Every structure is written in structure tokens, then in C-alpha cells.
Amino acid sequence: MGIANTKHKLPANRMIFDVRRNRALYANFAEDLEKIMETYGLSERERQAFRDRDIKCLGELGLHPYFLPQVSRLFHGGTYNHNDSPSAKAYGRSIVDGNGAVE
């Protein structure tokens, strides 16, 4: 799940790259997730990992390690990002604790 395992042509990598730079996509990410995933041509496995908010699975599929905490912030917010923030806790439960999907 490290940088060497990144699949640069994985549609989810392009999607997260663009969402982070496009205010309209960013603002409506959670509400428009299905539409956005369809637009970027994500596989069913990628789609399910996003639906489940399974950050660990996204890493195993080849999402760039830099994007993994970004995904957590998209779902849990990035305000006051610190070790006790909801996004950091969700990332920790999924990746560090190995729990996969998190709410």
C-alpha cells in the first residue's frame, strides 16, 4: 500500500486529483459521489470502496498514499485537521487499525 503500489492509471487517482482542485466537485463530493464516480469510469470495486469509505481498500487498489487522508477529509471534513479530528480518526481506524470501512 505504499508509493510503489500506486496505480497511476487508476481512475480513482484522477478523480481525487481533480476533486481536490475543482471547487464544484469538492463542494458536492459526498452528495454527487455516484455521478462523479460514473463520470471518471471507476470500476465497481473502486466504487464500493468509496461507498463503504474503505480507505484501506482504496490503498490496496492502488490509490496514491497521499490521497488516502484526502479521501478521509472529503468524507469527514478537513476543518481543524489534527490527530483528534474526525477525518484523522477515521483514517487511523481504517489504515492503522486495519478496520477498513469507517463511518
Side-chain angles (χ1 to χ4, degrees), residues 83-99:
N83 288 343
D84 289 329
S85 70
S87 63
K89 286 181 178 181
Y91 177 80
R93 286 191 304 273
S94 185
I95 299 293
V96 178
D97 297 342
N99 294 334

Side-chain angles (χ1 to χ4, degrees), residues 15-83:
M15 182 182 83
I16 295 302
F17 180 86
D18 290 347
V19 165
R20 292 177 50 254
R21 285 168 173 69
N22 181 313
R23 286 183 183 207
L25 289 175
Y26 181 85
N28 299 313
F29 179 75
E31 295 82 21
D32 293 341
L33 180 59
E34 293 296 328
K35 179 180 166 188
I36 294 170
M37 290 190 300
E38 183 178 331
T39 299
Y40 281 86
L42 271 65
S43 70
E44 184 54 36
R45 193 154 176 230
E46 288 170 277
R47 290 175 191 226
Q48 195 59 52
F50 275 102
R51 289 179 194 123
D52 293 342
R53 299 179 182 194
D54 192 337
I55 299 166
K56 182 177 181 183
C57 181
L58 289 168
E60 291 167 351
L61 289 171
L63 194 70
H64 194 287
Y66 175 78
F67 291 155
L68 297 174
Q70 304 297 320
V71 170
S72 186
R73 288 184 196 113
L74 285 168
F75 284 117
H76 301 284
T79 306
Y80 305 112
N81 195 28
H82 49 77
N83 288 343

